[in-house]
Amino acid sequence: MPLSREEREQFLSEPHVAAIAVDAGEGRAPLTVPIWYQYAPGEDVWILTGLHSRKNRLLQATGRFSLLVDRVEPTIRYVSVEGPVVDTSPATVEKLRELSERYLPPEKVDGYVDFAWKSHGEQVVVRMRPERWVSSDLGSV
């Protein structure tokens, strides 16, 4: 069963690790890798990635990407969202902290943020405006 708009937006707003997919060019399959993301119902989706990463180069060249999130309990459910890149801006330590707090236990956030800010190189925030949604709840097996 497809999810309602409210159900799919709520599901996407939960802290699932997503698979991001972006066109990798002629003769290549899409670049698909796991990624942390942030989303609130009705807003843009955003990710953090390295300024000089292959992912960011492809995002800037193609101008759009997809995210897929899923779970297997208590039911098999997934949401895929696709849309255009609407903004790319330099990352801030505040955005890194916001994303880290979404995925890490509170006692791990400060250490991770400190490490990542110093070690991951220059980062950017890439925002995507959701245009197309595919979703389903397949029930329990």
Side-chain angles (χ1 to χ4, degrees):
M1 293 282 301
L3 301 175
S4 69
R5 178 181 178 163
E6 293 77 22
E7 289 171 323
R8 71 184 187 209
E9 288 187 347
Q10 175 57 41
F11 187 73
L12 190 63
S13 71
E14 297 169 3
H16 304 283
V17 174
I20 185 173
V22 60
D23 186 351
E26 189 170 333
R28 299 287 305 262
L31 173 69
T32 307
V33 295
I35 195 162
W36 289 354
Y37 69 95
Q38 180 63 287
Y39 176 74
E43 296 183 6
D44 294 337
V45 175
W46 62 267
I47 61 166
L48 279 174
T49 193
L51 174 63
H52 303 292
S53 67
R54 178 172 180 238
K55 187 181 327 133
N56 189 47
R57 287 192 311 273
L58 293 171
L59 288 167
Q60 299 312 310
T62 63
R64 56 190 317 109
F65 66 95
S66 296
L67 288 180
L68 171 67
V69 297
D70 67 341
R71 71 166 192 219
V72 296
E73 288 187 11
T75 61
I76 300 169
R77 180 177 276 201
Y78 69 86
V79 169
S80 176
V81 62
E82 180 244 332
V85 171
V86 294
D87 184 61
T88 301
S89 58
T92 63
V93 72
E94 292 79 19
K95 286 293 188 191
L96 175 60
R97 177 169 300 283
E98 179 181 338
L99 202 55
S100 300
E101 288 173 345
R102 178 172 163 86
Y103 289 96
L104 298 174
E107 68 275 9
K108 301 286 186 181
V109 171
D110 287 340
Y112 177 78
V113 168
D114 185 56
F115 166 79
W117 192 249
K118 291 176 182 174
S119 304
H120 289 175
E122 198 170 353
Q123 301 278 304
V124 290
V125 174
V126 180
R127 293 185 180 279
M128 178 256 281
R129 176 123 335 113
E131 278 185 346
R132 294 183 180 89
W133 297 76
V134 178
S135 63
S136 186
D137 192 322
L138 304 173
S140 58
V141 194

